[in-house]
Amino acid sequence: MYDVIVVGGGPVGMLIANELALHNISAVVLESRDAVNEYPKAGTYHARAIATLARRQVVAVPRRTNDHTTISSELFQFAGYPWLTLRSRTIDGPVMMGIAQAELERAIAAKAATHGAQVIRGITVTSVEQSADHAVVIAYDADGAEQRYAARYVVGADGGRSAVLRSGRFTTTEYAPTMRAILGLAQLPRPEHLRGGWNHTDAGWTLLNLNRYGHSRIIVFEFDGPAADRHAPVTSEEFGAAIDRVVGSHVELESPHYLNRFSDFSRIVHDYRDGRLFLVGDAAHIHYPLGGQGLNTGISDAVNLGWKLAAVVTGAADDTLLDSYSAERQPVGQWVVDNTRVQSAIMNPDPAQDPLRRMVSQMLCNKDTHDWLGDKINGHSLRHDIPGPSESELDGSFLPDHEIDVDGTRTTVSELLARGRIVILVSAQARAAIAETADIPFTDTVVAQGLPKLYPEIVVVRPDGYVAWAGESSQVAQIRKVLEGHFALRWMQDH
């Protein structure tokens, strides 16, 4: 029997596997595909997702500054309109990064493999049964033979048609589709016939990522109702006709392929946990795929759940820690569903939506409103509600990637978090005050020099990079409450 089974080996599922492999946990990823899916899906990654991947050394982020107060910004779209400028701390890396989803999946899988993650391909999971002390995954291999796998916990990272979701007692809210879209790759012999970037007409929208030397990525959006059959294969003729209708003239295409349809159908799971079953990524939240928000959200889902599962399975933390996964991540998924539904309404070219477009455009001219929306979309403003005695402004925030000195060696916050453990950063003056933390499982106590002078003497950092507590050595007794309460560490309960 495994400790954890991850159903689905896409980027989100492989991130879970990497978190577990960091702690030598008995786990396996079950994936129906024989190889990485090359379909051109998500390709835009926002600040918080980039920084999270950097803290697990999946992506390399060039260091441009050591000043955590410096802010970078980049232009971005909202509902196709150039209304937003996204921002983030320069010290944490770029505001946005373009990586093909297939390329990211390979990078995460390679990183997980270096830590010993086990993946079985050609396995199609059909259902999951759970009992008081374990769960059983029922699946079929490539030859059609039934296979059964048992584990203490099962994570559904198996997308919108999740077998784990269907098998559990999960409740959802669904929003019916109102439009249809087709994504594909094609060569454009006459690229002047289709404008680059986001463009709207009275009939819909097109998005063109032009490649003059190969196949361009094209998406066409129409708003006169959903597709008659969401799962019907897309033909080249259907793709070309949709583009012609929206543009209003014929656009010549050559060798269109990787054609895929989608809509603004949305679904949100109310609680991402059902006993021994968990949902992450598209299994937990489906929405209109605008701006890469789905995979960005799934990346943070995976790391949030991954370190908590690792802490519980290794015996460091009590099972109650796992309840905090849904409590922290479900509101984020709900907000993504909500904002993409708003964007779909704004994109609808029906003149009835003109007042909505004017109002949102005017609202985003207000700096505070603009920054609030931009910071929500790229995760820059996300903070966790950390109950407890500390009153530091750092509590619940994402710790900047400071460069610090540890025993005469220069390192960074990202490098310290690469092991997926709790990190307690301590000034030299406070070293003696927290001597007992050196023996706490799942925790690294680090005497660090070089943190900003205004920081308190002690900063407790969660494995996902968020601050759980910050304070002075005179408040050291409060660390016990944090480690026992917020992290549910059993060591604290036993000592």
Side-chain angles (χ1 to χ4, degrees):
M1 184 169 74
Y2 294 99
D3 287 319
V4 182
I5 292 173
V6 180
V7 181
V12 173
M14 291 309 304
L15 263 179
I16 293 275
N18 184 66
E19 289 294 304
L20 300 174
L22 286 171
H23 301 275
N24 299 313
I25 288 170
S26 172
V28 64
V29 178
L30 304 179
E31 170 54 51
S32 60
R33 298 168 299 154
D34 292 326
V36 172
N37 189 339
E38 299 293 341
Y39 271 88
K41 296 183 179 181
T44 301
Y45 301 91
H46 298 157
R48 190 53 49 86
I50 296 167
T52 297
L53 292 171
R55 279 157 168 73
R56 291 301 183 269
Q57 300 182 337
V58 173
V59 298
V61 175
R63 194 170 191 84
R64 294 170 53 192
T65 182
N66 288 325
D67 180 4
H68 69 286
T69 64
T70 303
I71 300 295
S72 296
S73 61
E74 285 194 35
L75 297 177
F76 196 62
Q77 57 81 24
F78 184 75
Y81 293 96
W83 288 342
L84 285 183
T85 298
L86 302 186
R87 61 181 183 172
S88 68
R89 290 183 303 236
T90 308
I91 197 172
D92 289 327
V95 179
M96 289 185 285
M97 180 180 288
I99 309 174
Q101 182 168 327
E103 182 181 343
L104 178 65
E105 183 177 325
R106 279 189 286 268
I108 298 173
K111 177 60 66 173
T114 64
H115 296 136
Q118 180 183 359
V119 182
I120 305 178
R121 292 190 175 271
I123 300 294
T124 301
V125 173
T126 57
S127 62
V128 183
E129 300 171 354
Q130 65 170 320
S131 63
D133 59 357
H134 73 284
V136 176
V137 174
I138 297 93
Y140 291 87
D141 62 21
D143 297 324
E146 182 179 292
Q147 305 291 332
R148 288 177 172 254
Y149 304 85
R152 291 174 59 187
Y153 300 101
V154 174
V155 178
D158 46 345
R161 304 177 194 176
S162 170
V164 181
L165 170 62
R166 294 195 308 269
S167 300
R169 297 162 297 182
F170 298 102
T171 59
T172 66
T173 296
E174 295 186 352
Y175 305 92
T178 66
M179 52 76 68
R180 63 191 184 277
I182 301 175
L183 178 153
L185 297 179
Q187 291 181 323
L188 293 172
R190 299 178 180 272
E192 66 274 12
H193 288 177
L194 187 60
R195 294 178 60 187
W198 288 91
N199 288 283
H200 62 90
T201 70
D202 292 341
W205 285 76
T206 58
L207 171 60
L208 169 62
N209 301 122
L210 180 63
N211 179 359
R212 294 184 180 275
Y213 307 102
H215 290 87
S216 298
R217 180 175 180 264
I218 307 169
I219 308 179
V220 56
F221 305 80
E222 296 182 279
F223 292 83
D224 54 351
D229 184 354
R230 164 70 178 85
H231 304 300
V234 183
T235 65
S236 299
E237 293 74 18
E238 181 186 3
F239 185 45
I243 294 174
D244 291 351
R245 283 194 300 270
V246 170
V247 174
S249 60
H250 180 60
V251 177
E252 187 176 349
L253 304 177
E254 289 185 356
S255 61
H257 63 290
Y258 281 144
L259 302 177
N260 184 33
R261 68 174 84 247
F262 62 91
S263 71
D264 59 349
F265 169 78
S266 301
R267 181 179 67 216
I268 183 69
V269 176
H270 300 150
D271 190 335
Y272 293 0
R273 180 185 189 183
D274 170 27
R276 296 185 174 277
L277 310 184
F278 298 86
L279 301 175
V280 294
D282 288 351
H285 42 77
I286 298 177
H287 49 82
Y288 196 17
L290 288 177
Q293 291 187 81
L295 183 50
N296 280 268
T297 304
I299 287 169
S300 291
D301 289 347
V303 176
N304 186 298
L305 176 60
W307 74 259
K308 292 171 182 177
L309 271 173
V312 171
V313 170
T314 57
D318 187 81
D319 179 86
T320 57
L321 175 64
L322 298 175
D323 291 331
S324 67
Y325 162 62
S326 184
E328 291 182 344
R329 296 304 304 166
Q330 197 278 345
V332 177
Q334 179 68 66
W335 190 84
V336 173
V337 167
D338 292 346
N339 90 64
T340 51
R341 292 182 65 221
V342 169
Q343 291 188 68
S344 182
I346 292 172
M347 291 179 72
N348 190 327
D350 189 328
Q353 302 297 341
D354 287 346
L356 176 62
R357 279 185 280 273
R358 286 195 298 269
M359 180 177 291
V360 172
S361 175
Q362 292 168 5
M363 289 173 63
L364 293 180
C365 290
N366 178 280
K367 185 179 185 305
D368 290 342
T369 304
H370 170 279
D371 290 348
W372 172 85
L373 180 60
D375 291 350
K376 289 278 284 187
I377 283 178
N378 77 347
H380 178 65
S381 62
L382 179 62
R383 299 177 69 104
H384 290 302
D385 182 16
I386 309 292
S390 176
E391 297 180 356
S392 171
E393 293 183 356
L394 289 176
D395 287 358
S397 68
F398 195 69
L399 190 67
D401 190 24
H402 298 294
E403 188 175 48
I404 53 183
D405 185 286
V406 177
D407 296 328
T409 301
R410 300 299 289 176
T411 187
T412 63
V413 169
S414 288
E415 291 171 348
L416 292 174
L417 290 171
R419 298 179 63 194
R421 292 161 59 90
I422 301 165
V423 174
I424 303 179
L425 299 174
V426 187
S427 70
Q429 295 77 12
R431 183 201 302 252
I434 62 163
E436 69 168 354
T437 63
D439 299 325
I440 301 177
F442 213 78
T443 301
D444 294 328
T445 299
V446 177
V447 178
Q449 294 180 324
L451 288 171
K453 293 181 179 179
L454 295 178
Y455 273 33
E457 294 177 304
I458 305 169
V459 181
V460 180
V461 190
R462 300 173 10 154
D464 54 10
Y466 290 86
V467 176
W469 184 87
E472 306 299 337
S473 57
S474 60
Q475 303 168 296
V476 70
Q478 297 177 5
I479 293 182
R480 172 177 287 274
K481 297 179 181 179
V482 172
L483 296 178
E484 182 176 359
H486 184 68
F487 293 104
L489 291 187
R490 288 177 170 170
W491 188 94
M492 305 306 298
Q493 301 166 10
D494 297 337
H495 289 74

